[in-house]
Amino acid sequence: MTRRHLSAIAPSCSIAHRSSPKLIAQARVQHAKTLYVVGGMYGNPQALDAIEDMLQEERGDVDVLFNGDFNFFNANLEDLDLINRRIMRFYSATAGNIEISISSEERGSEGCGCDYPSYVSRDVVARSDLIVKKLGEVAGNLDADVLSWLRALSPFANYCIGGARVAILHGDPHSLSGWSLAVENLETSSEAFRRRHGCESHPTTTLRGSNQHCDAHDWMQAADADMFACTHTCLPFAQRVYEGPESFKAIFNNGSAGMANFSGQPYGLLTRISESLDIPKGSIYGCKQGEARVDCLPVQFHHKEFVEWFLKTWPSGSPAHTSYFTRELRFPHLLMT
Ligand SMILES: [Fe+2]
């Protein structure tokens, strides 16, 4: 999500958001030949169309898992109903904080549930709460079957793909809305990058061995995972966690499937994991992980149509316009290198 260098009070993590690597390890393991992990579509219907076009281009069977926050900007009943029904009917899903917030009894009135860290501006947090409040009011008019489906979504999922065990999360392994796997919080982030986010004094997540509270390798071992596929923090990255010269685990955060991610690049991103070791068309970056291949793929949604659609619900002066319209027109500062 959009961030500024101001202090804020981060809301506490609610019980509905809590998880643990042990719980993840105990969850049922599903099998797939190829899996699209679609995090943070944010209610963008053009992104859903683009993902369905991508499926047509694939040769073998592809499963699709929306790992949360597939709602956000779709704060009108027609789009809210349509997107959730399409996902409910044709694909798999796990919960993001948005789905939990809008399907609860309070329906968004308790905030967006993003659990923003302290370096995110109060203004950004307040606007996010207003967006989810409006979305929650609309969600109150959804049919009972859609609301029940949203409420029943699991916070995580396990897959086995080409022999690799993949834990699909929304935030981090301890909280659906956790920020430990945000690019700016990984120990390999540059100091300049962290300064830009105003989080240079925020604790980092170490990759291996030096911090028992924030150690990605330990979490992956406890979760019995070769890989974490996550989202929530809205900036993409991929990171190897080395176990030895030839052996590593991997973290892939897809940023957002429904918003721009890189400076000057008007597309969303998803994580593709496959038992086929061929590099897929369009791969932006990727690696072999055990006997599977994992890649970041662009979601080339129709940007002009998306902007027109966005403005119908979120005109100038609205909270979503103030927080996100600049991102859609000028794109985030994250550079592709
Ligand atoms: Fe989220």
Side-chain angles (χ1 to χ4, degrees):
M1 302 259 164
T2 308
R3 278 160 259 185
R4 297 274 189 273
H5 300 180
L6 297 170
S7 63
I9 299 167
S12 60
C13 178
S14 73
I15 290 170
H17 291 199
R18 284 182 202 155
S19 175
S20 76
K22 247 188 184 169
L23 281 177
I24 294 166
Q26 290 162 2
R28 179 172 70 99
V29 179
Q30 302 172 72
H31 291 260
K33 292 178 185 300
T34 298
L35 179 70
Y36 281 5
V37 184
V38 184
M41 196 174 73
Y42 297 112
N44 177 344
Q46 283 76 24
L48 185 49
D49 290 346
I51 290 160
E52 291 183 339
D53 288 345
M54 292 167 74
L55 294 174
Q56 300 294 321
E57 300 283 313
E58 291 274 359
R59 278 199 218 131
D61 293 341
V62 181
D63 291 359
V64 183
L65 176 75
F66 290 81
N67 60 326
D69 290 1
F70 40 92
N71 297 289
F72 195 49
F73 297 132
N74 50 337
N76 63 78
L77 189 56
E78 186 183 351
D79 289 320
L80 188 63
D81 183 68
L82 204 65
I83 281 182
N84 286 285
R85 282 197 182 281
R86 274 167 78 177
I87 294 173
M88 186 170 79
R89 183 164 177 201
F90 298 112
Y91 308 110
S92 301
T94 51
N97 50 287
I98 308 293
E99 286 70 42
I100 287 183
S101 294
I102 66 171
S103 63
S104 72
E105 290 299 319
E106 292 77 24
R107 293 209 180 88
S109 61
E110 301 226 320
C112 64
C114 296
D115 289 332
Y116 284 109
S118 56
Y119 50 84
V120 177
S121 116
R122 286 172 188 270
D123 292 342
V124 168
V125 177
R127 286 195 294 267
S128 210
D129 287 347
L130 287 172
I131 296 166
V132 175
K133 184 167 185 284
K134 178 171 177 172
L135 191 66
E137 286 165 3
V138 178
N141 295 313
L142 285 170
D143 291 339
D145 60 333
V146 179
L147 276 174
S148 302
W149 173 76
L150 283 168
R151 277 192 205 115
L153 292 175
S154 167
F156 47 75
N158 278 329
Y159 275 82
C160 183
I161 302 166
R165 176 88 172 249
V166 183
I168 316 283
L169 318 171
H170 182 72
D172 67 35
H174 289 99
S175 170
L176 175 141
S177 50
W179 287 72
S180 297
L181 302 181
V183 60
E184 68 270 23
N185 291 330
L186 268 284
E187 64 173 355
T188 50
S189 294
S190 76
E191 281 309 306
F193 187 75
R194 280 169 59 76
R195 270 198 302 279
R196 183 158 192 170
H197 283 275
C199 65
E200 62 269 39
S201 57
H202 196 82
T204 54
T205 301
T206 55
L207 297 177
R208 191 125 204 262
S210 62
N211 183 341
Q212 62 177 333
H213 299 297
C214 288
D215 187 316
H217 183 265
D218 283 356
W219 295 343
M220 295 169 103
Q221 279 206 313
D224 199 13
D226 299 311
M227 184 183 150
F228 284 157
C230 56
T231 183
H232 179 57
T233 63
C234 237
L235 289 178
F237 75 93
Q239 178 67 53
R240 282 176 169 175
V241 180
Y242 283 94
E243 300 181 294
E246 301 290 325
S247 169
F248 60 87
K249 295 177 181 288
I251 304 168
F252 270 68
N253 183 328
N254 77 304
S256 169
M259 285 196 283
N261 292 268
F262 297 117
S263 177
Q265 308 295 325
Y267 49 73
L269 300 170
L270 61 78
T271 301
R272 178 188 187 271
I273 309 157
S274 180
E275 64 178 19
S276 166
L277 300 183
D278 296 337
I279 298 174
K281 188 179 156 195
S283 172
I284 297 172
Y285 51 80
C287 65
K288 187 170 168 282
Q289 176 56 45
E291 293 308 309
R293 166 94 207 165
V294 52
D295 291 272
C296 172
L297 293 188
V299 178
Q300 300 274 12
F301 58 85
H302 196 298
H303 193 260
K304 185 164 173 283
E305 279 181 16
F306 170 63
V307 169
E308 288 168 3
W309 171 86
F310 177 96
L311 288 172
K312 281 184 200 161
T313 305
W314 302 106
S316 177
S318 65
H321 191 284
T322 305
S323 278
Y324 297 104
F325 197 61
T326 302
R327 175 171 175 145
E328 284 315 313
L329 287 186
R330 291 186 205 145
F331 316 120
H333 61 78
L334 197 63
L335 297 171
M336 283 177 73
T337 54

mmCIF file of all heavy atoms in Angstrom, residues 42 69 97 170 232, ligand 1:
data_model
loop_
_atom_site.group_PDB
_atom_site.id
_atom_site.type_symbol
_atom_site.label_atom_id
_atom_site.label_comp_id
_atom_site.label_asym_id
_atom_site.label_seq_id
_atom_site.Cartn_x
_atom_site.Cartn_y
_atom_site.Cartn_z
ATOM 1 N N TYR A 42 -7.327 -6.404 -5.504
ATOM 2 C CA TYR A 42 -7.966 -5.153 -5.057
ATOM 3 C C TYR A 42 -9.227 -4.781 -5.836
ATOM 4 O O TYR A 42 -9.481 -3.597 -6.095
ATOM 5 C CB TYR A 42 -6.946 -3.997 -5.053
ATOM 6 C CG TYR A 42 -5.841 -4.258 -4.064
ATOM 7 C CD1 TYR A 42 -4.546 -4.503 -4.477
ATOM 8 C CD2 TYR A 42 -6.120 -4.322 -2.695
ATOM 9 C CE1 TYR A 42 -3.543 -4.809 -3.560
ATOM 10 C CE2 TYR A 42 -5.134 -4.626 -1.781
ATOM 11 C CZ TYR A 42 -3.841 -4.861 -2.222
ATOM 12 O OH TYR A 42 -2.865 -5.178 -1.306
ATOM 13 N N ASP A 69 -7.229 -10.203 -0.369
ATOM 14 C CA ASP A 69 -7.360 -8.824 -0.857
ATOM 15 C C ASP A 69 -7.706 -8.798 -2.353
ATOM 16 O O ASP A 69 -7.175 -7.976 -3.110
ATOM 17 C CB ASP A 69 -6.100 -7.994 -0.561
ATOM 18 C CG ASP A 69 -5.934 -7.694 0.920
ATOM 19 O OD1 ASP A 69 -6.781 -8.146 1.719
ATOM 20 O OD2 ASP A 69 -4.957 -7.016 1.280
ATOM 21 N N ASN A 97 -6.959 -9.558 4.690
ATOM 22 C CA ASN A 97 -7.595 -8.754 5.731
ATOM 23 C C ASN A 97 -8.851 -8.061 5.226
ATOM 24 O O ASN A 97 -9.812 -7.845 5.983
ATOM 25 C CB ASN A 97 -6.618 -7.733 6.295
ATOM 26 C CG ASN A 97 -5.918 -6.941 5.218
ATOM 27 O OD1 ASN A 97 -5.046 -7.494 4.534
ATOM 28 N ND2 ASN A 97 -6.287 -5.684 5.046
ATOM 29 N N HIS A 170 -1.040 -14.752 3.269
ATOM 30 C CA HIS A 170 -1.414 -13.399 2.829
ATOM 31 C C HIS A 170 -0.323 -12.420 3.286
ATOM 32 O O HIS A 170 0.300 -11.760 2.464
ATOM 33 C CB HIS A 170 -2.776 -12.991 3.371
ATOM 34 C CG HIS A 170 -3.189 -11.636 2.876
ATOM 35 N ND1 HIS A 170 -3.565 -11.407 1.571
ATOM 36 C CD2 HIS A 170 -3.228 -10.418 3.483
ATOM 37 C CE1 HIS A 170 -3.836 -10.122 1.401
ATOM 38 N NE2 HIS A 170 -3.636 -9.497 2.547
ATOM 39 N N HIS A 232 0.078 -8.792 0.361
ATOM 40 C CA HIS A 232 -0.366 -7.895 1.448
ATOM 41 C C HIS A 232 0.374 -6.567 1.505
ATOM 42 O O HIS A 232 -0.223 -5.544 1.783
ATOM 43 C CB HIS A 232 -0.274 -8.599 2.805
ATOM 44 C CG HIS A 232 -0.689 -7.760 3.985
ATOM 45 N ND1 HIS A 232 -1.945 -7.180 4.071
ATOM 46 C CD2 HIS A 232 -0.025 -7.387 5.120
ATOM 47 C CE1 HIS A 232 -2.019 -6.503 5.214
ATOM 48 N NE2 HIS A 232 -0.875 -6.600 5.852
HETATM 49 FE FE FE B 1 -3.733 -7.271 2.905
#
